[in-house]
C-alpha cells in the first residue's frame, strides 16, 4: 500500500514558474499535478525514489527525465504510462 503524499504548506507550495522551451509535455503535466494538488515536492520525489532537485532539473531542462523515473513519478501521482498504436500510422 502506498504512503499518502504530504500537502505543502501555503508559503512553501510549489509554483508553476517558468519552463524551458524544451521541457517535455509529461514534465509540464507532472508539475501541474503537483501544484494543483498542493503537494510537497520532497514527498513526491521520495515516494518515486528520486531526488527533489531532479524535478527542478526536469522543469528547467537541465536534465532530461529517464523513462523509469517518469513512470515512477506518474505512478506516485496515480497515473500509468502506456504506449498505444497511432491511428495514422503509415
Amino acid at each position: 500500500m502506498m504512503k499518502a503524499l504530504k500537502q505543502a504548506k501555503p508559503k512553501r507550495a510549489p509554483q508553476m514558474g517558468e519552463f524551458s522551451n524544451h521541457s517535455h509535455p509529461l514534465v509540464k503535466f507532472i508539475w501541474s499535478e503537483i501544484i494543483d494538488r498542493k503537494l510537497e515536492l520532497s514527498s513526491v520525489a521520495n515516494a518515486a525514489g528520486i531526488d527533489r532537485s531532479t524535478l527542478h532539473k526536469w522543469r528547467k531542462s537541465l536534465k532530461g527525465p529517464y523513462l523509469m523515473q517518469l513512470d515512477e513519478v506518474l505512478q506516485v501521482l496515480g497515473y500509468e504510462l502506456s504506449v498505444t498504436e497511432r491511428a495514422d500510422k503509415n
Side-chain angles (χ1 to χ4, degrees):
M1 188 163 183
M2 271 195 148
K3 191 176 171 184
L5 298 174
K6 291 183 183 179
Q7 293 281 297
K9 294 180 176 131
K11 287 185 179 180
R12 298 192 45 126
Q15 303 295 314
M16 197 56 142
E18 294 293 319
F19 281 90
S20 162
N21 291 337
H22 306 290
S23 293
H24 192 279
L26 284 174
V27 170
K28 291 177 182 178
F29 175 78
I30 286 169
W31 269 90
S32 67
E33 284 293 307
I34 291 169
I35 290 166
D36 290 349
R37 296 183 195 186
K38 298 176 176 67
L39 299 173
E40 283 186 0
L41 283 179
S42 50
S43 177
V44 174
N46 290 339
I50 63 172
D51 193 85
R52 180 178 184 262
S53 66
T54 300
L55 294 171
H56 285 288
K57 290 175 184 175
W58 289 357
R59 185 176 87 184
K60 300 285 186 182
S61 289
L62 299 174
K63 179 179 181 181
Y66 292 113
L67 188 58
M68 289 177 65
Q69 291 174 326
L70 273 176
D71 187 44
E72 288 296 323
V73 173
L74 287 169
Q75 285 185 34
V76 164
L77 295 173
Y79 294 94
E80 181 179 280
L81 188 62
S82 64
V83 177
T84 57
E85 189 174 8
R86 290 173 49 157
D88 66 339
K89 77 175 191 177
N90 295 326

